[in-house]
């Protein structure tokens, strides 16, 4: 059984640029959630995708957008990067939406915005 | 809105000593509660979860937690810690209306000293 994988591991971007982060779900999982973890903080929910549709969103601006593909892999896109976007971005997959499905987390992508 | 408070940002303890990491939540509805562990440069791993039933929950690596509804707490305990337990621990909550999205606390860094 393959776990959740994320790419790239690390990324450095300049303010104003755009970035795409990728996530492959654990085998058999059809739901993906994305979280932002700033330094010294707990993860914050960005949004969730279930069967290719956005299924819930946290308090993040529209420049944070996502996609889920038919194979349930997912992308997180961030436009017009700001310095405060520097964080660890975590992807989590689960089987089904809603409760009480356990979320399996990937190792994260460390984004640095300069 | 739900929130999670982890009362201690850092907990130093000697090897083989007991430890308790404290977590309080605020919610007006029924909740599900989780503890995750994050080792350096890794994603989150589920330690244990409370969904319903017995208020004492046992998890992996010898950890357990007790759900106390009247005190809105979900403290994590281990009777004897090992060096390998050194990590950051996150308490998280979700409810029926959140599609399984997790609200995390800020984390507690557990440092186990020889």
């Amino acid at each position: 059984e393959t776990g959740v994988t994320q790419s790239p591991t690390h990324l450095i971007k300049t303010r104003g640029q755009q970035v795409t982060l990728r996530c492959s779900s654990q085998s058999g999982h059809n739901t993906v959630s994305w979280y932002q973890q700033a330094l010294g903080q707990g993860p914050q929910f960005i949004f969730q995708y279930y069967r290719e549709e956005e299924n819930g969103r946290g308090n993040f601006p529209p420049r944070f957008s996502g996609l889920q593909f038919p194979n349930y892999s997912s992308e997180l896109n961030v436009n017009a990067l700001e310095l405060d976007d520097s964080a660890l971005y975590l992807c989590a997959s689960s089987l089904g939406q809603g409760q009480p499905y356990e979320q399996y987390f990937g190792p994260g992508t460390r984004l640095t915005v300069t | 809105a739900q929130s999670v408070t982890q009362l201690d940002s850092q907990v130093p303890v000697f090897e083989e000593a007991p430890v308790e990491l404290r977590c309080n939540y605020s919610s007006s509805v029924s909740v599900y509660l989780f503890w995750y562990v994050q080792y350096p440069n890794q994603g989150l791993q589920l330690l244990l979860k409370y969904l319903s039933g017995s208020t004492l929950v046992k998890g992996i690596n010898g950890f357990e937690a007790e759900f106390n509804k009247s005190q809105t707490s979900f403290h994590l305990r281990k009777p004897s810690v090992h060096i390998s337990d050194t990590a950051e621990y996150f308490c998280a909550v979700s409810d029926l209306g959140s599609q399984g999205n997790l609200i995390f606390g800020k984390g507690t860094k557990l440092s186990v000293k020889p």
Side-chain angles (χ1 to χ4, degrees), chain B residues 30-47:
Chain B
S30 295
V31 296
Y32 303 109
L33 294 156
F34 306 81
W35 275 99
Y36 282 85
V37 60
Q38 186 175 37
Y39 298 102
N41 301 314
Q42 293 188 27
L44 302 175
Q45 180 184 9
L46 181 68
L47 277 177

Side-chain angles (χ1 to χ4, degrees), chain B residues 31-114:
Chain B
V31 296
Y32 303 109
L33 294 156
F34 306 81
W35 275 99
Y36 282 85
V37 60
Q38 186 175 37
Y39 298 102
N41 301 314
Q42 293 188 27
L44 302 175
Q45 180 184 9
L46 181 68
L47 277 177
L48 48 78
K49 59 188 175 188
Y50 170 79
L51 306 179
S52 65
S54 173
T55 57
L56 183 62
V57 180
K58 294 189 183 298
I60 62 171
N61 301 341
F63 284 93
E64 63 181 31
E66 186 158 18
F67 169 59
N68 187 319
K69 187 174 182 179
S70 62
Q71 297 187 5
T72 60
S73 69
F74 190 55
H75 301 332
L76 181 70
R77 302 185 183 101
K78 187 170 182 178
S80 175
V81 294
H82 302 290
I83 298 286
S84 59
D85 292 323
T86 295
E88 189 148 25
Y89 293 78
F90 292 93
C91 181
V93 63
S94 70
D95 63 40
L96 282 171
S98 64
Q99 287 87 38
N101 309 326
L102 298 169
I103 306 297
F104 286 88
K106 292 188 176 182
T108 297
K109 288 185 181 175
L110 175 65
S111 298
V112 181
K113 305 176 186 304

